[in-house]
Every structure is written in structure tokens, then in C-alpha cells.
Amino acid sequence: MLPYGRQSVDDSDVAAVSKVLTSDWLTTGPWVRSFESELAALAGTQGAVTVTSGTAALHTAYAAIGVGPGDEVVTTPLTFVATASTATMLGATVVFADVTPDTGNLDPASVSAALTDRTRVVSGVDYGGHPIDAPGLRAAVAGRDVLLLEDAAHSIGGSLDGTPVGSLADVTTFSFFPTKNLTTAEGGAVVATDAEVLLRAATFRNIGMVKDPERLQRTDEGAWWYEVHDLGVNYRLPDVLAALGSNQLTRLGHFKDRRTELHARYTEGLAGLDELLLPPTRDGADPTWHLYSLRIRDGRRRALFDHLRDNGIGVQVNYIPVYWHPLYAAQGYQRGMCPVAEEYYEQEISLPLFPDLLDSDVDRVIELIREFLGG
């Protein structure tokens, strides 16, 4: 079965990990600090906080912002559930806004209609790797005390109008799962434009422990002393995985270029078929493509999905609208709330896309789709 995504690991990655395994540090050591500095440089921010997964990054980001009971978080239903559920875990109310029919990203007009005086955060997702409409979302929340969060699990290394993903929003989260654009096996990170948010994120992921003398409430104890001022969790990324991430970063440019080539090959090979909608690139956007999100608009998505799976192509569907899950349906969220997102879901199939994919693999997928459509 040809997978829809997989990691690209080479001998240099193995050597980087092996070096850490024979060092004095397996966690909370110099490789974590180095990886965080490299991520901050890529994102154009003054710092980064690594964590154990993309879900942990979202949880940490919301906690660092101070999201809690009484707050509302506006987000898209066309995402993995963690974009919403981590806000729910902190007691916030999730409000779903619709997406644009071209990119599948949050629609600023729908966001504007969803805002209330309780809105604390608007969380956009770079669906498939295409950056959010940051200018449009900024305009939607103008004059309000609302932060913009970018869930960039799909898009590290991308940019919009020359601004790197990581600097488009107030807070940005990354995921380094094996199918993503670079991997640490499991892992994620938070970057932010506000140093205080970064400090709170670093404290939260370290069980809430405070050791900085300037932040301690008692300073007359010994060198062993630390304090916990707020709840936190253990989301520390080990040095072993940080070393893998650092080495993967050296090849991110290659990964991005190859994904772009494969994305373009799909588009060229599937052009001219009226039944299909192909993923566009908006002016000014330079995506790091994570998905090739094909849409078939004649009601035969399930049949095409099964046809490809039956022929050894491990296609996927991204994503089930979040409020369709029983967790949110039980809270009163109704189908039909976001019709554009629901139509997008009902048409979408994610085709295989990863740097080690062969041109011949892409051509085989194209041939099978054209065969299914009779063209």
C-alpha cells in the first residue's frame, strides 16, 4: 500500500540521534536549546518552545495565552480535532466559523460574524500547507482584544507575502509527526511574538516549575528551591528527538521543493477533468505543501476512495468536521453550521504526498483517477 504520507529519514538523521544517545544528555539538554533557536530563526520570532506533539503545542499555546472558562475560541471545523479540543480542555467554549471554498482555510467574513465580547482567540489552520489569510483575519478582529493563533501543523517553512509562517500570527504552533513536513517522531513547538507568552509556554510544558530567582516568591532557601505558581504538564521534548528535528531542518528546503514538484505534477496530470477541483495557490502565498487535497464534486468521493484503496493507494480524508464528532454533537453543535466546510469534507480525498514519493507513483495515482472518471 502506497501511504498518503511518511517520514524521510536518512543516515545523517541516524547519526544525529546516535550522537545524543552516547552523550550525557537525553533530555532537557543542549540539543533542545539548539533546536528551539533554529525554529525561532526559521519562524522569525525571538524564541520557540518545543513540546511532545502538535496537540501538546496547541494545549500549551492556549494555556500560555490564558484561555479558560468564560472565553470563546473561534476556529475552523476543517481540522484535526485537537485545534478545538485543547481549548475545550481548558474550559473555553469553541465557536466554529466557516472556511473559504478555494483553500479550505478560515473565512474572515465568517469569523467576523462569529465574534462576541467573549472571544479571546481566533485559531486559523494552514489547511494542507496553504497559509491562512492573516491580513483578512487581522482585519476581522481589528479593535478587539483578540489574539490570532495559527495552527501551522501543515506548513512549517511556508510564507505569505514574504512573511514566514510563524510570524503571521500572534502565536503559532507546529507539529513534527512523521507525516508532517519535518519530523521528530513525535513533537511540536510554539512560537510567539510576545516574550511573556513564550515564558508562560516554557513554564507550562515544564510542570509549571519556576526556578528563575526574579520570579520566585521566596529567595531565602537553597539552590534546590523551585516553586509552582500555576498548573503545568510534562510536555518536554527529549534531546534525542530534538537532534532529529535539527538535522531534518537542514533538509527542509529540499523537502519543500520536492513537495512542490509533486503537487505540481498532480495538478498537471489531473487538469481538464470537470468532475475535479484541484487545490489552488493564492497570490502571495508560498506554501510548504503537506497535503494534495483533491475534491470530486459529482458525489462519488466514496467510490473513488475505495477504487484507489483497492488498487494499493493509501489515500486519506482530511478532515471530518470537528463538530460532527460525538464529543461536540453531545454539546448541541449541529450539522449544517458551516456548509462550505461540510461540502469540502464531502468532496475531499488526500492523495499521497511526501518527499520520497516517486514521479512514477504520482503518475500511477493520476492514471487510476483518470481511469475511474473514464478520461
Side-chain angles (χ1 to χ4, degrees):
M1 180 72 72
L2 183 68
Y4 93 98
R6 73 180 307 275
Q7 68 275 13
S8 296
V9 173
D10 67 11
D11 290 343
S12 68
D13 293 319
V14 175
V17 171
S18 296
K19 183 177 180 180
V20 180
L21 288 172
T22 56
S23 76
D24 292 332
W25 295 91
L26 295 184
T27 191
T28 63
W31 282 274
V32 168
R33 293 191 292 273
S34 178
F35 185 39
E36 289 178 339
S37 295
E38 293 157 0
L39 289 170
L42 179 68
T45 58
Q46 57 185 308
V49 176
T50 54
V51 290
T52 52
S53 69
T55 298
L58 286 160
H59 190 199
T60 299
Y62 287 134
I65 291 169
V67 167
D71 294 330
E72 292 179 350
V73 173
V74 177
T75 193
T76 167
L78 197 63
T79 183
F80 184 60
V81 66
T83 312
S85 63
T86 50
T88 302
M89 288 168 61
L90 291 166
T93 298
V94 177
V95 178
F96 293 101
D98 216 339
V99 302
T100 61
D102 58 342
T103 65
N105 287 342
L106 262 183
D107 181 353
S110 185
V111 167
S112 182
L115 297 173
T116 72
D117 58 4
R118 294 173 56 197
T119 306
R120 184 71 180 277
V121 182
V122 170
S123 295
V125 173
D126 296 339
Y127 182 85
H130 196 293
I132 56 172
D133 180 1
L137 294 174
R138 290 282 191 195
V141 301
R144 295 175 176 266
D145 186 19
V146 174
L147 293 180
L148 178 60
L149 184 148
E150 183 175 12
D151 181 342
H154 292 181
S155 61
I156 187 168
S159 65
L160 180 66
D161 297 324
T163 300
V165 168
S167 292
L168 294 170
D170 299 299
V171 183
T172 303
T173 63
F174 297 119
S175 171
F176 307 133
F177 188 72
T179 59
K180 298 302 196 301
N181 297 331
L182 68 88
T183 189
T184 59
E186 287 277 9
V190 179
V191 297
T193 57
D194 185 341
E196 185 61 30
V197 170
L198 287 171
L199 178 61
R200 290 197 295 268
T203 303
F204 181 80
R205 64 94 188 260
N206 193 33
I207 323 170
M209 294 171 60
V210 174
K211 295 183 179 181
D212 181 355
E214 295 185 0
R215 298 170 62 201
L216 294 174
Q217 294 183 9
R218 291 182 61 102
T219 58
D220 56 349
E221 298 287 342
W224 65 85
W225 186 255
Y226 65 89
E227 297 171 352
V228 175
H229 299 166
D230 295 294
L231 290 175
V233 291
N234 180 358
Y235 280 159
R236 297 187 299 257
L237 186 73
D239 279 54
V240 178
L241 303 186
L244 174 58
S246 286
N247 202 67
Q248 290 258 308
L249 270 177
T250 66
R251 307 203 306 285
L252 180 60
H254 162 70
F255 294 161
K256 180 178 185 295
D257 290 345
R258 181 58 179 156
R259 286 175 176 273
T260 300
E261 290 173 1
L262 295 167
H263 198 277
R265 193 176 187 91
Y266 275 127
T267 296
E268 181 179 359
L270 295 172
L273 297 171
D274 292 340
E275 301 93 334
L276 302 181
L277 290 169
L278 309 182
T281 302
R282 287 191 177 185
D283 290 345
D286 182 19
T288 302
W289 290 112
H290 169 60
L291 301 175
Y292 191 92
S293 295
L294 178 70
R295 285 177 286 164
I296 180 167
R297 52 185 170 186
D298 63 359
R300 290 191 289 166
R301 192 268 302 272
R302 174 66 180 270
L304 177 58
F305 182 94
D306 290 344
H307 172 70
L308 293 171
R309 282 284 183 100
D310 289 345
N311 283 277
I313 309 301
V315 289
Q316 189 54 273
V317 170
N318 301 93
Y319 291 97
I320 300 167
V322 172
Y323 55 78
W324 285 17
H325 290 297
L327 168 67
Y328 288 102
Q331 298 176 40
Y333 295 84
Q334 300 289 324
R335 293 193 179 207
M337 291 171 51
C338 299
V340 179
E342 293 185 20
E343 182 180 50
Y344 199 110
Y345 157 73
E346 289 164 354
Q347 297 173 339
E348 198 271 346
I349 297 178
S350 298
L351 305 182
L353 186 66
F354 52 91
D356 295 337
L357 192 67
L358 302 177
D359 288 354
S360 58
D361 292 327
V362 172
D363 294 343
R364 178 174 165 233
V365 175
I366 291 169
E367 182 180 353
L368 285 167
I369 293 171
R370 284 187 166 274
E371 172 188 287
F372 175 83
L373 294 174

